[in-house]
Amino acid sequence: MTNLWLLMKIQIQGLLFRTTTHRNKKKKAAGFGMLILLAILFMYMSVVYVSGMVVAFPEGYQYIALYVMGMVTIFMLLVFGYQSAGGHLFGFKDYDLLMSLPIKKSEVLVSKFLSFLFLEYFYGFFLLAPSIVIVGLVCHYGLMYYVLGFIAWLIIPLVPMVMAALLAYLSMYMAGKFKYKNLMNNIFYIILMGAVFVLIFAYQSLLDQEAGQLLGLVANMERYLPFMSFLFDGMVFGNILKYVLGILINVVVFGLFVGLFSKNFMKLNSQIKSGYKVKNFKLRATKANSSFKALFNKELRTYFSNTVYFMNTAVMPILLVIGFAYLCIFMRDEIQLVQSVMPEMIMPVFCGAILFLSLVSCTTNSSISLEGKNFDSLKSYPVDVMDIFMAKMSVNLLVIIPCALICSVMALIFLNLSMGDFLLCVLTALTSSFFISALGLILNLHFYRLDWDNAAVIVKQSMPVYITSIGGMVASFGIIFLGLKLTEYLSPTIIVLLLNGLLLLFDIVFFIYLNTGGRKQFMKIH
């Protein structure tokens, strides 16, 4: 039992706190701070969404807000559970170490399950508990409602945990059959994040639903999510039979999964850890690449092989494309209304959106630091330093420009932009993407860290990342606000041309600096 509790403690720390096991007190405080911030964010989201629904829903139908937030909770548990299950239940790095320790394999298995379930309870509490309390207060439910709600909080995470674990296993197993394993995982993450983004957009339309439509939504939940809706039926309507049936569904599904997983624990992890193997290998000649192309391919492999790096920089542009597509397809009436009132403002506002997309997406702000212990090898390459710089910047251009071009083409089709306005949008994408790429690289040349243990620290918590992320967001909003003010004195086209002229000037200055001072600074790094 002592081994079990010790294993659980270590694994919960690894899942939740990340850096709190570090001896550095500042890093411990940072880990707890991030944990508290995440809890506050979840609770705030739950309170805001539920409050909006109970106010907007017709009288007597406010309880449906509980069902909606239950569905959101299940989806969020699925997303976060999938993210954690991949390195916790399956394919965990300390698998060989744990299997070699003088402890029972059942203790390892139980500790993995309980620590993962604890994580689901943590997320579920801050997402679901505010919903249960607010709906109970608004609808004036009695004590039994809250007692059943507490039990429901303990039961609801079971099925999402099973689903997340199965998805994690399938994605890791399938990715292991392909050469580019991390790329497959990154695509799966994008799909999940895109679904979250669509749910956010769907929330506004939900507030306008009438009573009959809301009841139809509840009926669909009972059809497709009986393990959740049966529990809520018992809480709201006092239907104990359905409540017990809901508990049985969750417990049986969870029990079956635990039974199958425990019997095949070592086999499943061995399959995942086996990885990709080249079949029918043949030795053949390869074409020689230029130094720039070789460096660019190296940077691309680094970018797509690091999930944290990829998700931290590529998700925002992709989600903005998804969001803009949603606006163009499902909110065309609203857009046409704005066009009829302020037709001259469509182009500058869209250019402002492209500017925002560019300034918040930067891969170069950590590209030097990510070289880590390999930096001295990079310096020894018989290549021009500017080729190294341009290869790193080209990755960022590859992330931003295609997304900006897709949005520009959609604007040309759905917003009826003129060809001149379309070209201005493309020009804004080119100048702003080069600007942020060069700025991020310059900052990382001066504020670098090569002695890191975890790449996530460099990608998320380094000074260049803070400056480009927060500064880019503030700068983009400031430029958009200033541009709107200047429309009283100048035409929108002139304002966008002036903005691009200013960005082009900075681009030239940054390029000259990289070719002179940047070279010297690069050679000083060690």
Side-chain angles (χ1 to χ4, degrees):
M1 187 61 71
T2 303
N3 291 334
L4 177 61
W5 287 113
L6 182 60
L7 286 171
M8 277 190 59
K9 177 184 175 182
I10 294 171
Q11 288 164 13
I12 289 173
Q13 285 179 336
L15 281 171
L16 283 179
F17 306 128
R18 301 292 180 185
T19 57
T20 53
T21 55
H22 203 282
R23 293 180 181 180
N24 190 313
K25 291 183 178 180
K26 291 184 178 179
K27 290 189 175 183
K28 285 185 178 182
F32 280 114
M34 289 300 296
L35 184 65
I36 294 171
L37 182 63
L38 185 65
I40 293 173
L41 178 64
F42 281 168
M43 186 168 286
Y44 172 79
M45 183 179 73
S46 180
V47 170
V48 169
Y49 278 96
V50 174
S51 300
M53 285 186 285
V54 295
V55 171
F57 288 173
E59 186 69 27
Y61 295 91
Q62 290 94 338
Y63 69 90
I64 296 178
L66 178 64
Y67 289 77
V68 175
M69 276 310 299
M71 181 178 65
V72 172
T73 300
I74 288 171
F75 184 80
M76 296 302 290
L77 290 177
L78 180 61
V79 172
F80 285 102
Y82 169 80
Q83 186 178 19
S84 300
H88 187 71
L89 294 179
F90 306 105
F92 44 94
K93 294 181 180 179
D94 56 351
Y95 173 77
D96 294 329
L97 175 63
L98 288 174
M99 292 298 103
S100 64
L101 291 176
I103 55 178
K104 296 179 180 179
K105 301 299 182 289
S106 59
E107 290 181 332
V108 175
L109 177 63
V110 172
S111 67
K112 287 288 182 182
F113 263 112
L114 293 181
S115 56
F116 187 66
L117 188 58
F118 180 88
L119 178 72
E120 296 287 274
Y121 283 146
F122 172 80
Y123 292 138
F125 177 79
F126 292 103
L127 285 167
L128 194 58
S131 309
I132 293 173
V133 173
I134 292 173
V135 171
L137 292 175
V138 171
C139 298
H140 307 290
Y141 292 129
L143 178 61
M144 184 56 68
Y145 166 85
Y146 295 99
V147 173
L148 295 178
F150 175 77
I151 299 173
W153 165 67
L154 294 175
I155 297 297
I156 285 176
L158 297 181
V159 172
M161 173 184 169
V162 173
M163 295 168 64
L166 290 175
L167 280 175
Y169 170 74
L170 288 174
S171 64
M172 293 184 72
Y173 179 77
M174 293 301 295
K177 299 298 180 182
F178 295 92
K179 184 176 181 180
Y180 302 104
K181 174 181 177 180
N182 288 321
L183 179 60
M184 296 293 295
N185 287 330
N186 293 338
I187 292 172
F188 199 85
Y189 275 121
I190 291 174
I191 293 172
L192 287 178
M193 295 304 295
V196 172
F197 205 67
V198 170
L199 282 177
I200 293 173
F201 275 99
Y203 171 74
Q204 188 61 42
S205 63
L206 180 66
L207 298 181
D208 300 326
Q209 298 286 316
E210 297 180 355
Q213 294 171 311
L214 292 174
L215 290 175
L217 177 64
V218 173
N220 285 329
M221 289 185 192
E222 188 163 325
R223 184 179 301 117
Y224 299 111
L225 301 173
F227 60 91
M228 177 204 75
S229 61
F230 285 179
L231 294 172
F232 289 157
D233 285 348
M235 292 167 57
V236 173
F237 303 111
N239 192 330
I240 301 301
L241 181 61
K242 273 193 173 182
Y243 191 84
V244 172
L245 183 59
I247 292 176
L248 287 175
I249 292 173
N250 283 274
V251 171
V252 169
V253 171
F254 183 72
L256 288 173
F257 175 74
V258 170
L260 291 172
F261 182 77
S262 59
K263 287 183 179 180
N264 300 279
F265 176 65
M266 297 182 67
K267 179 181 177 182
L268 294 175
N269 278 283
S270 298
Q271 286 177 344
I272 289 176
K273 292 180 74 67
S274 62
Y276 171 78
K277 294 181 177 63
V278 178
K279 298 178 180 178
N280 300 322
F281 176 79
K282 295 179 180 179
L283 184 65
R284 56 188 176 186
T286 58
K287 295 181 180 179
N289 290 327
S290 65
S291 59
F292 169 77
K293 186 175 180 181
L295 290 166
F296 179 64
N297 290 336
K298 167 187 169 294
E299 294 297 327
L300 279 181
R301 287 194 297 271
T302 300
Y303 183 66
F304 287 110
S305 64
N306 191 323
T307 301
V308 177
Y309 189 26
F310 176 82
M311 294 296 293
N312 205 56
T313 54
V315 167
M316 181 61 76
I318 294 171
L319 291 185
L320 285 174
V321 171
I322 295 172
F324 189 71
Y326 183 91
L327 290 174
C328 290
I329 297 172
F330 298 104
M331 301 184 68
R332 296 184 66 177
D333 294 338
E334 290 81 353
I335 293 175
Q336 289 175 356
L337 178 62
V338 174
Q339 280 183 299
S340 63
V341 177
M342 298 182 296
E344 73 284 352
M345 295 304 296
I346 294 297
M347 185 273 292
V349 169
F350 184 69
C351 286
I354 291 178
L355 180 68
F356 174 78
L357 183 153
S358 300
L359 296 187
V360 299
S361 306
C362 185
T363 63
T364 55
N365 53 19
S366 56
S367 59
I368 297 293
S369 297
L370 284 174
E371 295 292 342
K373 298 175 182 178
N374 299 320
F375 185 78
D376 289 334
S377 299
L378 180 65
K379 285 173 65 175
S380 66
Y381 288 174
V383 296
D384 185 42
V385 174
M386 280 303 293
D387 284 341
I388 297 175
F389 290 165
M390 294 307 298
K392 292 182 179 296
M393 291 170 59
S394 295
V395 174
N396 200 42
L397 299 177
L398 186 65
V399 171
I400 297 173
I401 293 177
C403 293
L405 289 177
I406 292 171
C407 291
S408 300
V409 171
M410 285 193 291
L412 182 66
I413 297 172
F414 294 101
L415 303 184
N416 299 319
L417 287 184
S418 65
M419 186 55 65
D421 291 343
F422 171 76
L423 293 176
L424 278 178
C425 294
V426 174
L427 179 62
T428 303
L430 295 174
T431 55
S432 59
S433 59
F434 190 93
F435 170 83
I436 195 63
S437 301
L439 177 62
L441 184 58
I442 291 170
L443 288 171
N444 201 203
L445 283 170
H446 289 275
F447 304 100
Y448 58 89
R449 180 183 172 186
L450 303 176
D451 59 340
W452 46 267
D453 296 322
N454 188 349
V457 176
I458 299 300
V459 173
K460 293 187 175 183
Q461 300 176 10
S462 60
M463 185 180 294
V465 172
Y466 284 132
I467 294 174
T468 52
S469 300
I470 299 175
M473 193 176 298
V474 172
S476 59
F477 285 132
I479 292 172
I480 293 170
F481 178 77
L482 180 61
L484 292 174
K485 288 293 183 181
L486 288 176
T487 53
E488 300 177 6
Y489 311 100
L490 300 170
S491 69
T493 303
I494 297 297
I495 294 172
V496 174
L497 285 172
L498 288 174
L499 170 64
N500 280 282
L502 183 62
L503 287 172
L504 184 60
L505 179 62
F506 274 110
D507 291 345
I508 295 171
V509 171
F510 287 163
F511 183 82
I512 293 173
Y513 174 77
L514 287 171
N515 202 23
T516 53
R519 288 176 178 268
K520 296 178 182 178
Q521 180 61 27
F522 181 83
M523 299 309 297
K524 289 180 182 179
I525 298 175
H526 57 83

